[in-house]
Amino acid sequence: MEFRKNDLVTLEIEDCGIDGEGIGKADGFTVFVKDAVIGDTVTAKIIKAKKNYGYGRLMEVVKPSSYRVEPKCAFARQCGGCQLQALSYDQQLEFKTNKVKGHLERIGGFTDIPMEPIIGMDELFHYRNKAQFPVGRNKEGKIVTGFYAGRTHNIIENRDCALGVSENKEVLDRVISHMEKYGIEPYNEATGKGLVRHILIRYGYFTKEVMVCLILNGNKLTKEDILVESLREIPGMTSITINVNKKRSNVILGEEIRLLWGQGYITDKIGDISYQISPLSFYQVNPQQTEKLYRKAISCAKLTGKETVIDAYCGTGTIGLIASSRAKHVIGVELNRGAIKDAISNAKRNHIHNVTFYNEDAGQFMVEMAEKGEHADVVIMDPPRTGSDEAFLSSVVRLAPDKVVYVSCGPETLARDLKYLTKHGYRMKECTPFDLFPFTKHVETVCLLSKLHKRSIM
Ligand code: SAH
């Protein structure tokens, strides 16, 4: 049967798509329904119809699934941040495990995957140490801050996101009331006018330090000193800065930072390594779970202290710095100049001397290493969601390290890249998914590959 836009259909949700949406069938017509949970019977309104499938808006849960839970956040459906708030945590973990396994099977062609149980979180809320709140006016003209609704730039007012730290609300309340009191205009994307664009807040989980950075479409705020006095009262406040961004684009931060009060950065720890984090630095948003992920990556490599380890796509050097105490030498390579600068200063801060960082394309760097006939015992790679490339992977094969540890935030590209490596002399030994972002569709994975030696191939 064919369906048209605005038709109402009743469906049993039988599956879960890669974005966490429910999938059901009505007379052979497949419908993808955001916010529907596997096991639900729902009524959905068709919002887009193709020949054999369509997309539906959830109108009513006729019979709730046993996996359905009450979302903690009142804005769970509108907000673009969470996709799985109505799904029990066990099922979220199941969804993420299946997502990794499914991609490895379909894209990678793997069978008998050595899957380890997924590593989830114990405390599901307030795990994010960073939030960037857009500021604007709502239809009634009131100044609002919160999050963009899914796929739009409409701001949903929410100063107390369940994934963020409780300090966020206090900061936002004080900044917004300062704006109201002194008639400071929020930025308007449509006209390019107005001053306050975003409020960036970062929190040190280990140190409990708080940083606020106001992103302005201008250089100065009215009565800056009064706002500083107010923000300083918040426990843990360490740094208050202004970032100037006058560009009409979606990029949140500009390049210029002006210190209003404090030291201009916060510090935090992952494992034993301490990091200095400024408004522009890259830093993992869930450091507690990141530590588990990186520890796993390093323990997979079974380092003895004698190895040369490559930390490819190293960002601010986190993996390499943690691994350095168990390796002879770590070589980090990363494309982003700012991240490499931070990596070098992190090494200095922590008195680590056996790590060398290079600011280069990882593929190019590996090609050069292979051409020079250099040696590496272990390659740890943590590429972006788009994965690695053939220049990199083919050079890994030429360098022939005993172990490759692939840390991935994109299961599709993980599957594609592992297919290449396993066709060229490596075998997958272990695959562990990690949940770094409860309530979202995202999943990270650590995969260990080891080199097949000639004897074991024969
Ligand atoms: N392990 C890192 C995070 C890795 S995220 C950390 O803990 O900080 C992926 C990194 O790959 C990003 O820092 C990104 O800048 C970098 N990157 C993307 N393309 C690259 C390339 N072609 N060569 C080297 N690095 C690249």
Side-chain angles (χ1 to χ4, degrees):
M1 194 172 149
E2 268 189 42
F3 287 95
R4 292 212 199 98
K5 195 171 168 183
N6 293 331
D7 282 352
L8 279 180
V9 289
T10 299
L11 312 154
E12 244 177 73
I13 302 298
E14 290 165 351
D15 207 350
C16 192
I18 53 167
D19 292 329
E21 74 280 21
I23 306 175
K25 276 196 172 147
D27 294 329
F29 183 83
T30 304
V31 189
F32 297 86
V33 189
K34 185 178 153 312
D35 304 311
V37 165
I38 193 163
D40 279 344
T41 304
V42 302
T43 305
K45 187 186 213 170
I46 303 293
I47 47 177
K48 197 169 172 190
K50 302 270 183 187
K51 198 162 171 13
N52 301 314
Y53 70 95
Y55 298 89
R57 185 192 321 279
L58 176 63
M59 302 305 285
E60 194 194 342
V61 179
V62 183
K63 190 164 154 277
S65 159
S66 58
Y67 303 144
R68 182 170 270 284
V69 295
E70 188 59 37
K72 183 179 171 98
C73 171
F75 310 100
R77 275 192 71 182
Q78 296 120 284
C79 175
C82 290
Q83 297 81 36
L84 306 174
Q85 275 222 26
L87 192 61
S88 71
Y89 192 55
D90 281 355
Q91 285 301 309
Q92 292 182 34
L93 295 179
E94 177 90 16
F95 160 74
K96 294 185 187 200
T97 305
N98 289 339
K99 185 162 162 170
V100 172
K101 192 159 169 277
H103 283 310
L104 286 171
E105 286 167 354
R106 281 194 300 274
I107 302 171
F110 290 97
T111 51
D112 296 327
I113 302 165
M115 294 289 293
E116 293 286 318
I118 186 166
I119 310 296
M121 289 194 78
D122 299 329
E123 287 292 329
L124 302 185
F125 297 99
H126 309 299
Y127 60 78
R128 279 192 69 101
N129 62 5
K130 173 184 172 185
Q132 305 180 111
F133 296 90
V135 187
R137 280 191 191 276
N138 67 8
K139 284 191 197 108
E140 289 78 45
K142 187 174 155 252
I143 300 179
V144 288
T145 186
F147 294 94
Y148 291 131
R151 300 202 189 108
T152 74
H153 272 197
N154 300 333
I155 299 171
I156 294 167
E157 175 146 56
N158 179 11
R159 300 184 188 181
D160 201 13
C161 165
L163 305 191
V165 294
S166 55
E167 283 76 1
N168 289 343
K169 182 173 184 310
E170 194 65 42
V171 171
L172 297 176
D173 285 351
R174 287 172 192 242
V175 174
I176 300 298
S177 72
H178 182 82
M179 289 175 69
E180 283 165 346
K181 187 162 176 195
Y182 296 103
I184 300 168
E185 198 50 35
Y187 180 67
N188 179 329
E189 277 186 332
T191 62
K193 300 225 164 70
L195 187 63
V196 181
R197 298 175 72 128
H198 274 84
I199 302 163
L200 163 69
I201 305 170
R202 291 183 117 163
Y203 177 79
Y205 263 93
F206 184 82
T207 57
K208 308 214 177 324
E209 293 174 355
V210 181
M211 168 203 290
V212 181
C213 176
L214 300 179
I215 297 120
L216 303 184
N217 175 37
N219 300 322
K220 225 185 138 12
L221 199 72
T222 312
K223 306 273 187 205
E224 282 171 356
D225 48 336
I226 294 179
L227 179 63
V228 165
E229 283 313 308
S230 165
L231 290 174
R232 275 179 59 184
E233 288 168 11
I234 297 172
M237 188 57 64
T238 308
S239 165
I240 306 171
T241 52
I242 278 182
N243 174 277
V244 181
N245 180 7
K246 297 182 188 169
K247 290 201 180 122
R248 286 188 75 173
S249 81
N250 283 342
V251 178
I252 296 179
L253 286 155
E255 280 158 25
E256 191 188 325
I257 301 265
R258 180 162 61 89
L259 184 66
L260 288 186
W261 178 81
Q263 58 189 28
Y265 59 86
I266 56 169
T267 49
D268 200 20
K269 269 187 163 190
I270 296 181
D272 302 327
I273 311 289
S274 123
Y275 295 88
Q276 182 172 314
I277 309 149
S278 76
L280 291 170
S281 308
F282 171 82
Y283 189 65
Q284 301 290 342
V285 296
N286 181 348
Q288 305 136 296
Q289 198 72 349
T290 299
E291 180 183 351
K292 291 189 197 159
L293 177 80
Y294 288 173
R295 287 226 175 275
K296 177 72 186 178
I298 293 162
S299 75
C300 269
K302 297 217 165 44
L303 299 175
T304 62
K306 293 191 187 131
E307 294 84 359
T308 298
V309 177
I310 295 178
D311 175 9
Y313 309 89
C314 69
T316 47
T318 327
I319 297 178
L321 293 173
I322 302 176
S324 65
S325 61
R326 275 179 264 166
K328 187 167 123 211
H329 186 208
V330 178
I331 298 166
V333 56
E334 158 67 43
L335 196 57
N336 183 301
R337 218 176 136 74
I340 277 290
K341 270 186 163 171
D342 284 346
I344 293 168
S345 78
N346 289 333
K348 276 201 193 120
R349 259 182 95 72
N350 292 282
H351 312 289
I352 294 172
H353 304 293
N354 60 338
V355 182
T356 319
F357 290 110
Y358 296 90
N359 180 203
E360 270 186 60
D361 172 85
Q364 201 47 44
F365 182 83
M366 290 297 275
V367 169
E368 283 158 26
M369 274 197 83
E371 276 168 3
K372 287 186 206 146
E374 291 191 39
H375 173 78
D377 300 287
V378 176
V379 170
I380 303 178
M381 54 192 290
D382 184 9
R385 207 159 286 162
T386 47
S388 187
D389 56 28
E390 193 149 338
F392 184 91
L393 296 169
S394 62
S395 307
V396 169
V397 171
R398 278 175 72 190
L399 276 178
D402 278 338
K403 296 190 183 77
V404 176
V405 182
Y406 195 129
V407 181
S408 159
C409 55
E412 295 95 334
T413 51
L414 170 74
R416 180 197 70 199
D417 293 347
L418 292 194
K419 186 175 180 182
Y420 183 96
L421 290 172
T422 51
K423 273 200 171 155
H424 293 87
Y426 283 85
R427 174 176 290 167
M428 197 198 314
K429 294 292 220 187
E430 203 181 308
C431 175
T432 314
F434 280 77
D435 187 20
L436 264 68
F437 306 106
F439 306 109
T440 75
K441 62 185 176 184
H442 301 294
V443 56
E444 321 283 306
T445 315
V446 173
C447 269
L448 168 68
L449 293 110
S450 69
K451 183 152 179 56
L452 288 171
H453 291 285
K454 286 228 167 64
R455 239 177 307 129
S456 56
I457 295 175
M458 286 195 296

